[in-house]
Structure formats: C-alpha cells, structure tokens
Amino acid sequence: MATASTHSLIACHDCDFLYRKHPLQFGERATCSRCGALLYQKKRDSLDRTLMLSLAALILFVLANVYPFMTFKISGRVQVSHLITGVEELYAQGFLELSVLVLLTSILLPLVKILGTLYILLPLKLNRRPWKAPQIFRLIEALGPWVMMEVYLLGVIVAYVKLVDMATIVLGIALYSFAALIVLVAAAGMTLDPEEVWERLETTS
Ligand SMILES: [Zn+2]
C-alpha cells in the first residue's frame, strides 16, 4: 500500500529534520537528536484504553444531551435548559453563524469523532478491517482541532456567574456529564496511537 512508504518517514514537528522510522517496543519514545522534541512513541494498551474511553464518552454524550443542563428559578418561574438550548438561543437572537459553529464544535463534531473512533477501533480489536477505514480515520484525525466543547462550557460558566445573583440555578446531570465528556474525549485523544492504528489497518484485511 502507498501509505506504508509515506509512513516510514517522519519530520520533526519542531525543526523539520527528517527521520526514517524504526519499530519501537511498547512504552518507548523516539526523540529528535537535533532538538529533543518527541517524534513518535508506542503507547501501551492504546487500542483497549482508547476503546474504553470512547465507549464511556458515548454514554456521557447521550446523558449530556438527554438530561437537563441547568434549571433556572426566577421569581417563581422555572426554566429548564438543555445542551442544545444554547444553540437555539443564539439562533433566536439572530446569531446564525455562531449558532451553527457552536452546534458543530460542541455537539455534532464531538459525536462524529467518538463514533468514528469506535467505528475504526472496534473492528480492529476483532481483527477486522472496517469499510473505508483509511479515509474515515484521516477524517477523525483532521476533526481534532474542531472539537471545542470546553469553549461551550466556558460560556456556560460566564453565564452562570452573571445570573447567579438574580436566579436560583440548579446544575443538572447533563452539565456534569458534559464536563466529564470533555475530560474523556481529551483522554481518548491522548491514549490513541495513530501509528498503531495505521499498522493494524495495513496488516488486517
Ligand atoms: Zn527536532
């Protein structure tokens, strides 16, 4: 496969020095001999850990979208908001582009990333090669910078601080699930070893 030759060379992220890659033992790291930056590493139990974290993330994603996010009580009136409410409010106030951006970066793309990761890793765990695997794996790798759930959470904290004197605010299950989801998606990104995925994709059929 063409990917085998392109994946045998690696450029240092910091100084662009080019290296030919050598197989590593689990837990080993290769660093740049010129500037000391990390080039690549072989992570232990990468597939299992990423799989478990992604499954847990999927459950939290469902909880974050189904249960109430926050409940406001202002002078006798009770208002329940959900994760999607933030998007709806932006849209209702005329911020169309912003509402689409928040919908993508906080809800849709995180879901695509979680489902895509499971789609690739579950079959690999069973020594099967998922359909269109290289294209889909490249897509979810490219999605990384667009998953920005923490920005949404930051907005929620700002709103909370502004409103906390005016209203009684009850934080819901969805809010805690969303916060935990951010941590799990970040952890899954750290445990994932793209090199191992590429190697397995090349050796399974
Ligand atoms: Zn370097």
Side-chain angles (χ1 to χ4, degrees), residues 11-17 19 31-37 39:
C12 172
H13 296 297
D14 284 359
C15 71
D16 287 331
F17 203 70
Y19 290 94
T31 51
C32 176
S33 57
R34 195 157 74 168
C35 75
L39 294 173

Side-chain angles (χ1 to χ4, degrees), residues 68-74 76-82 85 89 168-170:
F69 203 79
M70 275 187 184
T71 306
F72 302 90
K73 290 175 191 148
I74 310 171
R77 273 194 330 127
V78 176
Q79 196 180 343
V80 178
S81 73
H82 290 83
T85 308
E89 278 299 315
T168 309
I169 303 174
V170 182

